[in-house]
Short mmCIF file of all heavy atoms in Angstrom, two decimals:
data_model
loop_
_atom_site.label_atom_id
_atom_site.label_comp_id
_atom_site.label_asym_id
_atom_site.label_seq_id
_atom_site.Cartn_x
_atom_site.Cartn_y
_atom_site.Cartn_z
N LEU A 1 83.08 -55.32 17.37
CA LEU A 1 83.82 -54.58 18.56
C LEU A 1 83.21 -54.94 19.84
O LEU A 1 82.03 -54.77 20.04
CB LEU A 1 83.75 -53.14 18.24
CG LEU A 1 84.50 -52.11 19.33
CD1 LEU A 1 86.00 -52.50 19.33
CD2 LEU A 1 84.22 -50.72 19.12
N LEU A 2 83.92 -55.50 20.72
CA LEU A 2 83.64 -55.84 22.13
C LEU A 2 83.98 -54.80 22.99
O LEU A 2 85.10 -54.22 22.97
CB LEU A 2 84.15 -57.12 22.42
CG LEU A 2 84.06 -58.44 21.52
CD1 LEU A 2 84.69 -59.65 22.01
CD2 LEU A 2 82.55 -58.71 21.23
N THR A 3 83.09 -54.53 23.98
CA THR A 3 83.38 -53.60 25.12
C THR A 3 82.72 -54.15 26.35
O THR A 3 81.59 -54.74 26.33
CB THR A 3 82.97 -52.14 24.74
OG1 THR A 3 83.39 -51.28 25.83
CG2 THR A 3 81.41 -52.15 24.68
N ARG A 4 83.34 -54.11 27.50
CA ARG A 4 82.96 -54.72 28.69
C ARG A 4 81.97 -53.89 29.63
O ARG A 4 82.24 -52.67 29.69
CB ARG A 4 84.13 -55.16 29.58
CG ARG A 4 83.74 -55.77 30.84
CD ARG A 4 85.04 -56.45 31.54
NE ARG A 4 85.96 -55.52 31.78
CZ ARG A 4 86.03 -54.85 32.91
NH1 ARG A 4 85.17 -55.06 33.88
NH2 ARG A 4 87.10 -54.00 33.13
N TYR A 5 80.88 -54.40 29.95
CA TYR A 5 79.77 -53.80 30.86
C TYR A 5 80.72 -53.32 32.10
O TYR A 5 81.52 -54.18 32.66
CB TYR A 5 78.88 -54.72 31.10
CG TYR A 5 77.81 -54.10 32.09
CD1 TYR A 5 76.76 -53.35 31.57
CD2 TYR A 5 77.83 -54.28 33.47
CE1 TYR A 5 75.81 -52.80 32.52
CE2 TYR A 5 76.94 -53.71 34.40
CZ TYR A 5 75.83 -52.98 33.84
OH TYR A 5 74.88 -52.38 34.65
N GLY A 6 80.60 -52.14 32.49
CA GLY A 6 81.33 -51.61 33.73
C GLY A 6 82.51 -50.85 33.35
O GLY A 6 83.10 -50.25 34.16
N ASN A 7 82.97 -51.17 32.10
CA ASN A 7 84.20 -50.41 31.77
C ASN A 7 84.20 -50.23 30.22
O ASN A 7 85.06 -50.63 29.37
CB ASN A 7 85.42 -51.24 32.09
CG ASN A 7 86.83 -50.53 31.82
OD1 ASN A 7 86.79 -49.16 31.95
ND2 ASN A 7 87.91 -51.17 31.40
N LEU A 8 83.21 -49.46 29.82
CA LEU A 8 82.93 -49.17 28.36
C LEU A 8 84.09 -48.42 27.81
O LEU A 8 84.74 -47.55 28.52
CB LEU A 8 81.65 -48.34 28.18
CG LEU A 8 80.41 -49.05 28.66
CD1 LEU A 8 79.16 -48.09 28.63
CD2 LEU A 8 80.11 -50.34 27.98
N TYR A 9 84.45 -48.54 26.49
CA TYR A 9 85.55 -47.83 25.95
C TYR A 9 85.38 -46.39 26.11
O TYR A 9 86.42 -45.59 26.07
CB TYR A 9 85.81 -48.26 24.54
CG TYR A 9 84.77 -47.97 23.46
CD1 TYR A 9 84.48 -46.78 22.98
CD2 TYR A 9 83.81 -49.01 23.16
CE1 TYR A 9 83.52 -46.52 22.01
CE2 TYR A 9 82.83 -48.76 22.22
CZ TYR A 9 82.69 -47.47 21.67
OH TYR A 9 81.65 -47.32 20.79
N VAL A 10 84.11 -45.90 26.01
CA VAL A 10 83.96 -44.47 26.07
C VAL A 10 84.33 -43.87 27.47
O VAL A 10 84.51 -42.60 27.65
CB VAL A 10 82.38 -44.09 25.78
CG1 VAL A 10 82.09 -44.35 24.41
CG2 VAL A 10 81.52 -44.79 26.82
N ASP A 11 84.47 -44.62 28.38
CA ASP A 11 84.84 -44.07 29.78
C ASP A 11 86.29 -44.44 30.11
O ASP A 11 86.79 -44.07 31.23
CB ASP A 11 84.06 -44.91 30.89
CG ASP A 11 82.62 -44.64 30.74
OD1 ASP A 11 82.09 -43.42 30.36
OD2 ASP A 11 81.67 -45.59 30.94
N ASP A 12 86.93 -45.01 29.06
CA ASP A 12 88.42 -45.39 29.31
C ASP A 12 89.41 -44.31 28.87
O ASP A 12 88.98 -43.34 28.25
CB ASP A 12 88.70 -46.75 28.67
CG ASP A 12 89.75 -47.60 29.34
OD1 ASP A 12 90.57 -46.88 30.15
OD2 ASP A 12 89.72 -48.71 29.25
N TRP A 13 90.69 -44.53 29.06
CA TRP A 13 91.69 -43.71 28.51
C TRP A 13 92.90 -44.46 28.05
O TRP A 13 93.01 -45.66 28.27
CB TRP A 13 92.17 -42.80 29.66
CG TRP A 13 93.19 -41.76 29.23
CD1 TRP A 13 94.45 -41.57 29.67
CD2 TRP A 13 92.90 -40.52 28.42
NE1 TRP A 13 95.06 -40.52 28.93
CE2 TRP A 13 94.17 -39.87 28.19
CE3 TRP A 13 91.67 -40.07 27.75
CZ2 TRP A 13 94.24 -38.77 27.44
CZ3 TRP A 13 91.88 -38.98 26.96
CH2 TRP A 13 93.08 -38.29 26.79
N TYR A 14 93.82 -43.83 27.38
CA TYR A 14 94.93 -44.50 26.78
C TYR A 14 95.85 -45.18 27.76
O TYR A 14 96.02 -44.65 28.84
CB TYR A 14 95.77 -43.57 25.86
CG TYR A 14 95.02 -43.03 24.66
CD1 TYR A 14 94.60 -41.72 24.61
CD2 TYR A 14 94.62 -43.95 23.61
CE1 TYR A 14 93.84 -41.21 23.52
CE2 TYR A 14 93.99 -43.33 22.51
CZ TYR A 14 93.61 -42.16 22.58
OH TYR A 14 92.90 -41.63 21.35
N LEU A 15 96.59 -46.23 27.34
CA LEU A 15 97.71 -46.75 28.18
C LEU A 15 98.69 -45.77 28.27
O LEU A 15 99.00 -44.89 27.38
CB LEU A 15 98.26 -47.98 27.37
CG LEU A 15 97.31 -49.22 27.30
CD1 LEU A 15 98.00 -50.14 26.09
CD2 LEU A 15 97.29 -49.91 28.53
N PRO A 16 99.41 -45.92 29.54
CA PRO A 16 99.32 -46.74 30.61
C PRO A 16 98.35 -46.23 31.73
O PRO A 16 98.20 -47.02 32.67
CB PRO A 16 100.81 -46.82 31.04
CG PRO A 16 101.35 -45.50 30.75
CD PRO A 16 100.62 -45.06 29.49
N THR A 17 97.86 -44.95 31.47
CA THR A 17 96.98 -44.51 32.53
C THR A 17 95.64 -45.33 32.56
O THR A 17 95.00 -45.56 33.57
CB THR A 17 96.64 -42.99 32.35
OG1 THR A 17 97.93 -42.42 32.49
CG2 THR A 17 95.73 -42.53 33.26
N GLY A 18 95.17 -45.64 31.21
CA GLY A 18 93.91 -46.45 31.12
C GLY A 18 94.29 -47.69 30.49
O GLY A 18 95.46 -48.14 30.48
N ASP A 19 93.24 -48.35 29.89
CA ASP A 19 93.37 -49.58 29.19
C ASP A 19 93.24 -49.55 27.63
O ASP A 19 93.35 -50.48 27.03
CB ASP A 19 92.39 -50.62 29.70
CG ASP A 19 92.62 -51.09 31.18
OD1 ASP A 19 93.95 -51.09 31.44
OD2 ASP A 19 91.78 -51.38 31.87
N LEU A 20 93.08 -48.30 27.20
CA LEU A 20 92.79 -48.19 25.71
C LEU A 20 94.14 -48.44 24.84
O LEU A 20 95.16 -47.70 25.21
CB LEU A 20 92.19 -46.89 25.36
CG LEU A 20 90.79 -46.65 25.66
CD1 LEU A 20 90.31 -45.28 25.23
CD2 LEU A 20 89.79 -47.81 25.07
N ARG A 21 94.05 -49.17 23.88
CA ARG A 21 95.22 -49.27 23.00
C ARG A 21 94.93 -48.72 21.70
O ARG A 21 95.80 -48.63 20.64
CB ARG A 21 95.74 -50.75 22.79
CG ARG A 21 94.47 -51.66 22.32
CD ARG A 21 94.97 -53.09 21.99
NE ARG A 21 93.88 -53.97 21.80
CZ ARG A 21 94.03 -55.25 21.50
NH1 ARG A 21 95.25 -55.71 21.39
NH2 ARG A 21 93.06 -55.94 21.26
N ASP A 22 93.61 -48.20 21.42
CA ASP A 22 93.31 -47.58 20.21
C ASP A 22 92.37 -46.35 20.50
O ASP A 22 91.85 -46.40 21.66
CB ASP A 22 92.63 -48.58 19.17
CG ASP A 22 92.86 -48.21 17.77
OD1 ASP A 22 93.22 -46.95 17.49
OD2 ASP A 22 92.67 -48.99 16.93
N SER A 23 92.11 -45.57 19.57
CA SER A 23 91.31 -44.48 19.76
C SER A 23 89.72 -44.82 19.93
O SER A 23 89.33 -45.66 19.08
CB SER A 23 91.51 -43.42 18.64
OG SER A 23 90.58 -42.29 18.61
N LYS A 24 89.13 -44.01 20.76
CA LYS A 24 87.70 -44.14 20.92
C LYS A 24 86.92 -43.98 19.54
O LYS A 24 85.97 -44.57 19.20
CB LYS A 24 87.06 -43.43 21.92
CG LYS A 24 87.77 -43.59 23.31
CD LYS A 24 87.13 -42.62 24.32
CE LYS A 24 87.88 -42.58 25.70
NZ LYS A 24 87.28 -41.57 26.58
N ARG A 25 87.51 -43.00 18.77
CA ARG A 25 86.90 -42.69 17.51
C ARG A 25 86.97 -43.83 16.47
O ARG A 25 86.11 -43.92 15.64
CB ARG A 25 87.78 -41.53 16.88
CG ARG A 25 87.80 -40.20 17.57
CD ARG A 25 88.61 -39.21 16.78
NE ARG A 25 88.65 -37.99 17.45
CZ ARG A 25 89.41 -36.82 17.03
NH1 ARG A 25 89.92 -37.01 15.88
NH2 ARG A 25 89.30 -35.79 17.71
N GLU A 26 87.83 -44.86 16.77
CA GLU A 26 87.83 -45.95 15.78
C GLU A 26 86.66 -46.89 15.91
O GLU A 26 86.53 -47.70 15.12
CB GLU A 26 89.23 -46.63 15.90
CG GLU A 26 90.44 -45.93 15.56
CD GLU A 26 90.28 -45.21 14.31
OE1 GLU A 26 90.13 -45.96 13.27
OE2 GLU A 26 90.43 -43.94 14.17
N ALA A 27 85.80 -46.71 16.88
CA ALA A 27 84.68 -47.53 17.09
C ALA A 27 83.72 -47.27 15.83
O ALA A 27 82.92 -48.18 15.56
CB ALA A 27 83.87 -47.18 18.29
N LYS A 28 83.97 -46.12 15.15
CA LYS A 28 83.15 -45.98 13.89
C LYS A 28 83.41 -46.98 12.91
O LYS A 28 82.51 -47.19 11.97
CB LYS A 28 83.42 -44.57 13.34
CG LYS A 28 84.92 -44.37 12.71
CD LYS A 28 85.23 -43.05 12.16
CE LYS A 28 86.54 -42.91 11.53
NZ LYS A 28 87.59 -43.08 12.55
N ARG A 29 84.39 -47.69 12.90
CA ARG A 29 84.74 -48.77 11.89
C ARG A 29 83.98 -50.16 12.19
O ARG A 29 84.03 -51.03 11.28
CB ARG A 29 86.31 -49.10 11.73
CG ARG A 29 87.05 -47.86 11.24
CD ARG A 29 88.47 -48.32 10.97
NE ARG A 29 89.25 -48.28 12.21
CZ ARG A 29 89.65 -49.58 12.67
NH1 ARG A 29 89.37 -50.69 12.21
NH2 ARG A 29 90.36 -49.61 13.81
N ALA A 30 83.36 -50.13 13.32
CA ALA A 30 82.67 -51.43 13.73
C ALA A 30 81.32 -51.46 13.00
O ALA A 30 80.66 -50.29 12.77
CB ALA A 30 82.51 -51.52 15.27
N ASP A 31 80.88 -52.70 12.64
CA ASP A 31 79.66 -52.81 12.11
C ASP A 31 78.77 -53.32 13.25
O ASP A 31 77.43 -53.08 13.03
CB ASP A 31 79.60 -54.05 11.03
CG ASP A 31 80.49 -53.65 9.77
OD1 ASP A 31 80.05 -52.82 9.19
OD2 ASP A 31 81.62 -54.24 9.72
N CYS A 32 79.20 -53.84 14.21
CA CYS A 32 78.35 -54.25 15.31
C CYS A 32 79.21 -54.05 16.68
O CYS A 32 80.33 -54.32 16.68
CB CYS A 32 78.06 -55.71 15.22
SG CYS A 32 77.09 -56.44 16.63
N ILE A 33 78.57 -53.55 17.71
CA ILE A 33 79.15 -53.37 19.00
C ILE A 33 78.43 -54.22 19.96
O ILE A 33 77.29 -54.21 20.19
CB ILE A 33 79.12 -51.80 19.58
CG1 ILE A 33 79.77 -50.94 18.48
CG2 ILE A 33 79.64 -51.66 20.87
CD1 ILE A 33 79.50 -49.48 18.89
N ILE A 34 79.23 -55.13 20.62
CA ILE A 34 78.69 -55.99 21.65
C ILE A 34 79.22 -55.55 23.05
O ILE A 34 80.45 -55.61 23.34
CB ILE A 34 79.03 -57.49 21.33
CG1 ILE A 34 78.48 -57.85 19.97
CG2 ILE A 34 78.46 -58.43 22.36
CD1 ILE A 34 78.90 -59.31 19.53
N VAL A 35 78.23 -55.34 23.85
CA VAL A 35 78.60 -55.07 25.29
C VAL A 35 78.55 -56.49 26.09
O VAL A 35 77.58 -57.07 26.15
CB VAL A 35 77.58 -54.12 25.97
CG1 VAL A 35 77.96 -53.79 27.44
CG2 VAL A 35 77.49 -52.91 25.06
N THR A 36 79.80 -56.89 26.54
CA THR A 36 79.89 -58.24 27.02
C THR A 36 79.91 -58.17 28.58
O THR A 36 79.92 -57.15 29.25
CB THR A 36 81.21 -58.93 26.58
OG1 THR A 36 82.40 -58.08 27.02
CG2 THR A 36 81.30 -58.92 25.10
N LYS A 37 79.71 -59.36 29.21
CA LYS A 37 79.83 -59.61 30.66
C LYS A 37 78.71 -58.71 31.29
O LYS A 37 78.98 -58.16 32.40
CB LYS A 37 81.29 -59.19 31.27
CG LYS A 37 82.28 -60.19 30.55
CD LYS A 37 83.56 -59.91 31.15
CE LYS A 37 84.73 -60.81 30.53
NZ LYS A 37 86.06 -60.63 31.15
N CYS A 38 77.54 -58.65 30.65
CA CYS A 38 76.49 -57.90 31.21
C CYS A 38 75.88 -58.70 32.43
O CYS A 38 75.81 -59.97 32.36
CB CYS A 38 75.36 -57.61 30.28
SG CYS A 38 75.88 -56.50 28.90
N PRO A 39 75.27 -58.12 33.41
CA PRO A 39 74.41 -58.82 34.33
C PRO A 39 73.22 -59.50 33.73
O PRO A 39 72.70 -58.97 32.81
CB PRO A 39 73.88 -57.80 35.34
CG PRO A 39 74.80 -56.57 35.17
CD PRO A 39 75.22 -56.64 33.66
N LYS A 40 72.85 -60.69 34.28
CA LYS A 40 71.64 -61.26 33.70
C LYS A 40 70.46 -60.47 33.98
O LYS A 40 70.38 -59.58 34.96
CB LYS A 40 71.36 -62.62 34.48
CG LYS A 40 72.50 -63.67 34.12
CD LYS A 40 72.07 -65.10 34.68
CE LYS A 40 73.15 -66.05 34.24
NZ LYS A 40 72.84 -67.45 34.91
N ASN A 41 69.44 -60.54 33.15
CA ASN A 41 68.21 -59.67 33.22
C ASN A 41 68.46 -58.16 33.22
O ASN A 41 67.82 -57.36 34.04
CB ASN A 41 67.39 -60.17 34.47
CG ASN A 41 67.20 -61.56 34.54
OD1 ASN A 41 66.72 -62.12 33.52
ND2 ASN A 41 67.33 -62.23 35.68
N LEU A 42 69.43 -57.80 32.32
CA LEU A 42 69.72 -56.36 32.23
C LEU A 42 68.50 -55.58 31.62
O LEU A 42 67.80 -55.97 30.82
CB LEU A 42 70.86 -56.17 31.18
CG LEU A 42 71.49 -54.86 31.12
CD1 LEU A 42 72.39 -54.53 32.39
CD2 LEU A 42 72.37 -54.73 29.87
N SER A 43 68.04 -54.59 32.45
CA SER A 43 66.82 -53.90 32.10
C SER A 43 66.95 -53.18 30.85
O SER A 43 68.09 -52.78 30.44
CB SER A 43 66.53 -52.97 33.28
OG SER A 43 67.47 -51.82 33.36
#
């Protein structure tokens, strides 16, 4: 499951008000969560 740095799925809302097309709860089905587009040298 991919989620973008600066707009994590936990901070989002459903379409069309937000960008979510699926429930945040469904993250439980992921085996691995990758936070993408992070700044270099993230602390």
Side-chain angles (χ1 to χ4, degrees):
L1 178 64
L2 306 181
T3 186
R4 180 168 60 87
Y5 180 86
N7 188 33
L8 303 173
Y9 63 81
V10 292
D11 297 325
D12 211 340
W13 186 249
Y14 294 110
L15 291 165
T17 297
D19 290 326
L20 287 182
R21 57 178 171 175
D22 207 344
S23 169
K24 301 174 189 180
R25 294 182 183 178
E26 295 310 303
K28 67 181 184 290
R29 293 189 287 107
D31 298 288
C32 174
I33 301 171
I34 299 180
V35 183
T36 61
K37 302 186 178 181
C38 295
K40 291 185 177 180
N41 304 316
L42 192 67
S43 68

